[in-house]
Amino acid sequence: MKEKKKRFIGFYDYTVILTYIGLSCTVVGMTQAIDGRFRIAIVCLALSGLCDMFDGKIARSKKGRTEDEKLFGMQIDSLCDVVCFGVYPAMICWLLGVRSIVGWILICFYCICSVIRLGYFNVLETKRQQLEDGANKCYHGLPITSMAIVLPLVFMLQIFISTAVFICALYLSLFVVGLLFVVDFPLRKPNNIVLTVLVLLVAIAVMIVILFSNFHIPKLSFPNTGFFDWLSRRVIDAK
């Protein structure tokens, strides 16, 4: 029997809805972060993490998924994770003040590590699904969604510490979390009790941020490299 031709590419069912909601939260958060509304941006990051926490459980609840549907769901999840927990936290950190040459290096390092991690996960998960069903019981290294927990907690600290110390904490977070993305160590997946504790912890941090944070976006500027200033002067003089 000839297979019916699809009008749209992809697979459309309830298993990917939560993933798309998480991505939408991230896109909204990006616009808010650019406008300096960091409290809303942190809330959007936390909501994206919450969606990612349960999207896998929802996807596995559907019985009789084809191999193509499973692979599509895995790819969609990883692609959205690159944006939600790779690019988005790095963008927030840059807007918050991680703007030096070292900051650029750390932001690139963090994003590269997040891509490596997700690419490696896709390879391992594709092989695993060919041999067994269900969810994997152990992580290799720190899961990428960890930044949805770390960054709200670090942002909460700016209420209690100086801006300089807070910026240093952002630098450190990018380096440590990015490094743990690619260091291969076994990390057992948290059970429901641990997940509940993590959700409550982030919720408390977000509430504190909403009620007490008054962080203002620093003035956007690129570091003075000297070379580009010299080059611009030469171009003007040549005219």
Side-chain angles (χ1 to χ4, degrees):
M1 185 177 178
K2 189 176 179 180
E3 184 180 354
K4 186 179 179 181
K5 187 177 179 181
K6 294 182 178 180
R7 291 183 178 273
F8 302 98
I9 61 173
F11 298 92
Y12 300 89
D13 52 47
Y14 71 89
T15 62
V16 292
I17 290 177
L18 203 58
T19 303
Y20 295 151
I21 292 175
L23 178 62
S24 300
C25 290
T26 291
V27 174
V28 172
M30 285 179 171
T31 64
Q32 299 306 296
I34 292 172
D35 285 341
R37 300 185 183 96
F38 291 111
R39 288 183 293 184
I40 300 177
I42 292 297
V43 171
C44 289
L45 177 62
L47 289 175
S48 296
L50 188 65
C51 290
D52 187 81
M53 188 179 294
F54 296 104
D55 62 357
K57 297 180 185 295
I58 292 176
R60 288 187 295 273
S61 70
K62 183 180 179 182
K63 305 299 181 183
R65 285 192 300 163
T66 65
E67 291 300 317
D68 285 346
E69 287 176 328
K70 291 180 181 179
L71 289 175
F72 178 80
M74 182 181 67
Q75 295 296 334
I76 284 294
D77 185 63
S78 291
L79 289 170
C80 290
D81 284 352
V82 168
V83 180
C84 296
F85 312 112
V87 175
Y88 183 38
M91 174 185 173
I92 291 177
C93 288
W94 186 81
L95 289 170
L96 286 172
V98 183
R99 296 182 192 157
S100 66
I101 296 297
V102 175
W104 284 0
I105 293 173
L106 284 177
I107 286 172
C108 291
F109 170 78
Y110 174 83
C111 290
I112 291 171
C113 288
S114 66
V115 171
I116 291 173
R117 168 167 190 82
L118 290 170
Y120 189 67
F121 166 80
N122 284 358
V123 172
L124 292 183
E125 189 64 12
T126 301
K127 290 182 177 180
R128 188 190 69 82
Q129 288 189 8
Q130 293 173 352
L131 302 174
E132 59 185 87
D133 202 0
N136 197 0
K137 294 181 174 59
C138 190
Y139 293 114
H140 290 269
L142 196 67
I144 193 170
T145 49
S146 301
M147 202 55 160
I149 299 173
V150 173
L151 194 54
L153 294 176
V154 173
F155 188 79
M156 180 188 67
L157 292 178
Q158 54 85 21
I159 300 171
F160 310 102
I161 60 179
S162 66
T163 300
V165 176
F166 169 58
I167 299 299
C168 289
L170 292 175
Y171 276 77
L172 185 63
S173 299
L174 287 170
F175 175 72
V176 173
V177 175
L179 182 63
L180 292 178
F181 283 164
V182 294
V183 173
D184 192 1
F185 63 93
L187 180 63
R188 189 170 182 82
K189 283 192 173 183
N191 55 32
N192 291 334
I193 296 177
V194 176
L195 287 177
T196 302
V197 171
L198 291 176
V199 170
L200 290 175
L201 185 64
V202 174
I204 292 171
V206 168
M207 288 302 300
I208 293 175
V209 166
I210 291 174
L211 293 174
F212 302 107
S213 175
N214 194 27
F215 190 87
H216 296 288
I217 184 170
K219 182 180 178 182
L220 294 177
S221 61
F222 290 94
N224 184 3
T225 59
F227 169 76
F228 292 106
D229 291 338
W230 172 84
L231 183 61
S232 63
R233 288 196 298 268
R234 295 286 292 181
V235 172
I236 293 173
D237 293 340
K239 292 180 179 181

